[in-house]
Amino acid sequence: MTLKEFGLLLVSILTSVAGQFFLKAGALKLGKVNAGNAVSHILSIVFTPELIVGLFCYGLGAIAYILLLTRVNLSVAGPSVALIYVFSVVLGYFIYKEAIPISRIVGLGFITCGVILVVWQR
């Protein structure tokens, strides 16, 4: 993977993680959905700035990913974006004070090692 390809991968990952952050912030602002408020919550999505920004970030991430796919094999790009999971857990820990049990840390280690093995060029 060249430096430009790695840059596209990084942009795709970081904008997707930013999208997750904003979607979570918007979801917290909306509150829990139940049968009584489902329609109003769905309509509120259009007027919640955090959700709009989150969707925009996802769009940017998708564009960067598409550009990456024009340069590298899907068998490399697809598994590489699994790093989104790693960054999302770290974001949840630092921003939302979510606990990370040891089993999750081990799983994230497996994901990271797997991505390294997939991207590694001999």
Side-chain angles (χ1 to χ4, degrees), residues 62-109:
I63 290 169
Y65 185 67
I66 291 166
L67 294 174
L68 178 66
L69 288 174
T70 67
R71 297 170 161 267
V72 300
N73 293 333
L74 179 61
S75 61
V76 173
S80 298
V81 295
L83 290 175
I84 293 170
Y85 302 133
V86 175
F87 287 110
S88 294
V89 171
V90 171
L91 184 74
Y93 177 78
F94 285 108
I95 303 295
Y96 294 109
K97 308 300 180 205
E98 297 173 355
I100 307 176
I102 190 72
S103 60
R104 194 167 302 150
I105 292 171
V106 171
L108 294 174

